[in-house]
Amino acid sequence: MPTRLILFSGLAADHDVFAPQSLAFEQLIVPIWPEPEIGDTLESYSKRLAEDLSSEEPTVIGGASFGGIVALHVAKYLNPLAVILIGSVRRPSELPRYARLARCLKPLVAWLPTRLLQRCSTPLASRGMAKRFPHLSGLARQFQHCNPVVFKWSLSRILDWNSVEPLECPVFQIHGDRDHVLPIGNTSPTQVVAGGGHVISLTHAGEVNAFIRSVQDRFSGEQGNHG
């Protein structure tokens, strides 16, 4: 039975951030971010995602940036073979200092003019900028397509993220050494991508795809016993 691969996109982003992975992995699922319910915590939201994605198929889950954080919480309910973090972190203590200091500003997130900021980011997402500044342009494209409601909720969840339970499955992590959003100095990845920024699924797709495949290959002989 082929291994099902589930990858959560970054901060309210869509499936485009995993376009190269969609071409390489036939079993890839990139869930659409549902709008949170009133009072949703990271835990309640992740549990609902896990219920929607529940299956008897052997599964590897993962995510980029905030999607990796969600994957760590979904894994608690989904019983995957492994978790793959792509430009993400394993625990709250690995968030950058600016994110920890900004926690007191969480009440202001609701007032962010997200639509206006999306329009202002259009020049950064252009093809010309993509050639000159691929890391920055990748972030701009990701932000442009996000749902403002999901974006604000997700940003708030990053700011109040304070714990993650130990998992029974292994966690594998690939990270760019030039990631300025989640600096590599705060974490200890399994594999480092030289010259990689924060959106390595797009800018260094070959290395990310090889890493994902290597994780899948580790469990190719164990799938019959999974579950």
Side-chain angles (χ1 to χ4, degrees):
M1 182 181 295
T3 303
R4 188 174 61 146
L5 176 63
I6 299 172
L7 295 177
F8 297 101
S9 54
L11 193 62
D14 60 19
H15 58 84
D16 285 348
V17 74
F18 292 125
Q21 289 69 49
S22 296
L23 296 174
F25 299 94
E26 293 182 1
Q27 297 294 318
L28 175 61
I29 298 170
V30 182
I32 296 173
W33 291 113
E35 288 201 4
E37 297 179 357
I38 296 175
D40 249 342
T41 63
L42 181 56
E43 198 67 25
S44 64
Y45 188 83
S46 298
K47 184 177 181 180
R48 197 162 58 254
L49 282 173
E51 291 170 351
D52 292 341
L53 295 166
S54 180
S55 171
E56 294 299 320
E57 294 180 76
T59 301
V60 170
I61 70 171
S65 192
F66 177 68
I69 293 173
V70 171
L72 290 170
H73 287 263
V74 170
K76 174 182 172 182
Y77 304 102
L78 205 58
N79 189 30
L81 296 166
V83 174
I84 298 176
L85 303 181
I86 303 171
S88 188
V89 292
R90 299 171 183 257
R91 54 189 65 86
S93 61
E94 295 179 358
L95 289 172
R97 186 181 181 190
Y98 70 79
R100 299 195 298 271
L101 292 175
R103 285 176 174 170
C104 62
L105 302 177
K106 191 181 72 170
L108 300 180
V109 170
W111 298 95
L112 281 176
T114 309
R115 291 292 189 193
L116 175 61
L117 293 173
Q118 285 177 315
R119 288 196 293 270
C120 292
S121 70
T122 299
L124 295 176
S126 67
R127 289 186 178 181
M129 289 296 289
K131 292 180 180 179
R132 297 181 61 188
F133 306 102
H135 304 159
L136 181 61
S137 182
L139 287 173
R141 291 198 305 274
Q142 178 175 313
F143 176 62
Q144 268 197 319
H145 295 101
C146 76
N147 177 328
V149 174
V150 180
F151 175 80
K152 292 180 182 182
W153 178 87
S154 302
L155 183 56
S156 294
R157 298 295 74 76
I158 292 174
L159 294 176
D160 62 22
W161 187 40
N162 57 21
S163 67
V164 60
E165 294 186 17
L167 299 176
E168 295 183 4
C169 67
V171 177
F172 301 93
Q173 180 183 7
I174 183 169
H175 212 96
D177 65 357
R178 294 185 182 178
D179 190 330
H180 300 301
V181 177
L182 296 174
I184 195 171
N186 294 340
T187 187
S188 301
T190 312
Q191 181 174 320
V192 176
V193 177
H198 191 57
V199 196
I200 53 176
S201 61
L202 290 174
T203 61
H204 294 72
E207 290 174 73
V208 170
N209 290 353
F211 184 76
I212 293 171
R213 202 170 298 283
S214 71
V215 172
Q216 289 183 320
D217 290 346
R218 286 173 180 255
F219 300 96
S220 59
E222 302 177 19
Q223 294 176 10
N225 299 321
H226 182 64

